[in-house]
Structure formats: C-alpha cells, structure tokens
Amino acid sequence: LEESVACRLAERYNLSGGQIENVVRKRTVEMILSGVEPTAEQMEAFCRAELLMNKPPERRRIGF
C-alpha cells in the first residue's frame, strides 16, 4: 500500500484495530484471488464497508 493512500485512508476513516485488521484481511484475500494488488478505490471501498457493517442499528425514539 502506497504511503499516500494509507495516509488518505487514515484521514478519512476512524477505524479501530479490529476494523483495520478486517480491511487488511479483505486486501489479502483480494490479492490471492485476483493475483493483483487492490486499487486505492478498492481499499477505500473496503474501509467504507467495514464502517457500514459495524454501524449500530438506528434507534427511533418513541414517546412524547
């Protein structure tokens, strides 16, 4: 991963250590399956997906 891409992802996404590990695993699997390093856009998609998967369900307030 290029340093500029890593810096951009770090600035845009506030990921926990576990979330970062999941992104790295997705990157590794992608490299194994395709034989090509994922693009910066794919890495960004992995980060967005990690945020969406760990987002708590929205709660609606009931009451007056």
Side-chain angles (χ1 to χ4, degrees), residues 29-49:
V29 168
E30 181 66 27
M31 285 178 59
I32 291 169
L33 293 177
S34 70
V36 179
E37 178 133 2
T39 64
E41 291 78 23
Q42 288 173 305
M43 292 299 297
E44 191 139 357
F46 294 157
C47 291
R48 277 194 308 272

Side-chain angles (χ1 to χ4, degrees), residues 16-26:
S16 69
Q19 289 172 312
I20 293 169
E21 185 175 354
N22 289 340
V23 170
V24 170
R25 287 179 190 209
K26 290 176 186 179

